[in-house]
Amino acid sequence: MTTPTFLKDAKELLTEQGFATSNTWYHGTSSALVESIKDQGLNRSGDKALKQAAKQTMATIGNSYTETIEPVFLTQSKELAYFWAEQTVRNRSVRIEGDEEPVVFEVTLSDDMNSRVKTDVGAASLLMVKEGEAYLAHLAGIYEECGLEAPEIDLKSADRMDYLNKLGMAYYDYDIDKDSVNLLSK
């Protein structure tokens, strides 16, 4: 997994205390969702095609599917957002045919909106599965590239701010207007 050079920003953001935060955040997703995001912004549980595919799969095997409303997941690093964009493309490729690429959106929030960004402590359960292990390995590589030791975090007892500062995991539990998002490109 190689992050494109124009998205490499950890050297400017990462210190021994973790990733710096500001009013600028990043969201990684699939290129298939670009036009929708440009038109509507980032909406909670916004990947309707993937949700519909999951619902159809569950109906096929006779199980019911209860759709949940997930927040908009954010990170303070373009590099970390790119990792999640690749995961989104991989997850969509299992259920949806198409030629998709990982993309990263920059999200600029007002001070009021920024105060509502939350550290994603709920990610603890994600980090205990294969996808999360890959993220932690990717994160360790970024720390090492920056000449820092990778954080050793006990996911069950970690300080909640470690999820934001050291792991770069945050969320915003509101829709984000299209005027606050910008697709990053070379």
Side-chain angles (χ1 to χ4, degrees):
M1 179 180 337
T2 304
T3 305
T5 305
F6 78 98
L7 296 175
K8 290 193 143 298
D9 64 351
K11 289 192 179 188
E12 292 90 46
L13 294 173
L14 192 55
T15 68
E16 288 186 21
Q17 290 73 44
F19 289 90
T21 60
S22 69
N23 288 40
T24 302
W25 298 89
Y26 301 95
H27 178 80
T29 193
S30 167
S31 57
L33 303 175
V34 166
E35 289 310 312
S36 174
I37 292 169
K38 284 182 174 181
D39 289 344
Q40 301 173 24
L42 286 167
N43 295 322
R44 294 173 294 156
S45 295
D47 192 343
K48 290 178 179 33
L50 190 57
K51 296 258 184 215
Q52 184 60 32
K55 189 175 188 175
Q56 287 173 334
T57 299
M58 295 305 284
T60 301
I61 60 174
N63 288 350
S64 62
Y65 175 78
T66 304
E67 191 170 325
T68 58
I69 296 178
E70 294 179 352
V72 176
F73 294 101
L74 301 171
T75 182
Q76 58 272 59
S77 166
K78 296 174 207 170
E79 284 185 65
L80 299 179
Y82 187 78
F83 174 89
W84 294 115
E86 288 189 317
Q87 298 307 305
T88 299
V89 169
R90 187 173 296 120
N91 292 343
R92 285 177 58 87
S93 72
V94 171
R95 299 183 187 272
I96 301 169
E97 287 186 39
D99 188 23
E100 301 181 20
E101 298 292 324
V103 296
V104 174
F105 278 89
E106 180 178 77
V107 179
T108 306
L109 301 177
S110 68
D111 288 341
D112 180 52
M113 292 169 72
N114 202 48
S115 70
R116 291 185 258 162
V117 173
K118 304 293 181 205
T119 183
D120 191 2
V121 178
S125 60
L126 168 72
L127 295 174
M128 292 180 202
V129 297
K130 186 178 177 187
E131 185 178 36
E133 289 174 15
Y135 178 71
L136 291 175
H138 179 73
L139 188 67
I142 289 173
Y143 270 82
E144 289 168 14
E145 227 176 81
C146 292
L148 298 168
E149 277 189 45
E152 290 187 30
I153 296 176
D154 178 351
L155 298 174
K156 295 176 188 152
S157 62
D159 179 286
R160 67 181 288 109
M161 291 309 292
D162 284 348
Y163 286 88
L164 175 64
N165 300 329
K166 295 187 177 178
L167 301 179
M169 302 181 104
Y171 70 89
Y172 187 74
D173 205 11
Y174 304 89
D175 294 342
I176 299 172
D177 186 84
K178 67 181 181 181
D179 294 333
S180 297
V181 298
N182 180 45
L183 178 65
L184 297 179
S185 59
K186 297 178 208 178

